[in-house]
Amino acid sequence: VQLQASGGGLVQAGGSLRLACAASERTFSKYHMGWFRQAPGKEREFVAAIRWSDGNTLYVEDVKGRFTISRDSVKNTVYLQMNSLKPEDTALYYCAYRFTGSFRVILSKEVNDYRFSGQGTQVTVSS
């Protein structure tokens, strides 16, 4: 599966960005898709995930209420709408996939449960 993340940029605190992750795979019904981020000097961390089959979502605590993950089955694209951005959201954002082989597997926050493909997209939030 090839993934292409886009939509990053420079924005002031309180602003919004929408990231997009276009995927090469045609059928994602048994996949989870996730967004992760990595700030300089820090480890890659989970941000949000979505179960493709039913749209179930999972978020890291500090983005709840600000970020929304969604998917478009026609375009094979996952989005991350980011509102009320903070300087601490500054990072390189990556999308990733997890093939589960099932419609019922619980979403995961573990980086090692996902596979990463393609370049990330830089998000910089100025104060």
Side-chain angles (χ1 to χ4, degrees):
V1 178
Q2 298 298 315
L3 304 175
Q4 180 64 49
S6 62
L10 173 63
V11 64
Q12 288 188 330
S16 298
L17 285 172
R18 188 176 80 154
L19 306 184
C21 175
S24 61
E25 189 74 9
R26 291 182 176 270
T27 303
F28 278 101
S29 59
K30 296 181 181 178
Y31 282 76
H32 299 170
M33 302 298 293
W35 285 99
F36 294 78
R37 64 188 179 187
Q38 188 167 17
K42 295 187 177 181
E43 294 186 352
R44 190 171 297 184
E45 64 173 3
F46 171 81
V47 176
I50 188 166
R51 189 162 60 195
W52 198 275
S53 59
D54 61 4
N56 191 32
T57 58
L58 180 67
Y59 298 92
V60 69
E61 191 63 34
D62 65 358
V63 307
K64 285 182 180 179
R66 300 190 298 123
F67 292 10
T68 302
I69 187 171
S70 61
R71 86 271 193 242
D72 184 323
S73 299
V74 174
K75 296 181 178 180
N76 286 344
T77 300
V78 177
Y79 300 98
L80 185 68
Q81 178 67 44
M82 305 186 296
N83 299 326
S84 302
L85 281 161
K86 305 174 182 180
E88 50 264 44
D89 294 318
T90 295
L92 188 59
Y93 282 70
Y94 298 90
C95 57
Y97 67 93
R98 179 191 184 201
F99 176 69
T100 65
S102 169
F103 297 115
R104 301 180 179 181
V105 174
I106 296 172
L107 288 165
S108 170
K109 296 181 179 180
E110 298 299 323
V111 173
N112 291 335
D113 284 340
Y114 294 82
R115 290 194 171 186
F116 293 81
S117 172
Q119 306 284 340
T121 186
Q122 178 67 39
V123 172
T124 303
V125 184
S126 63
S127 58

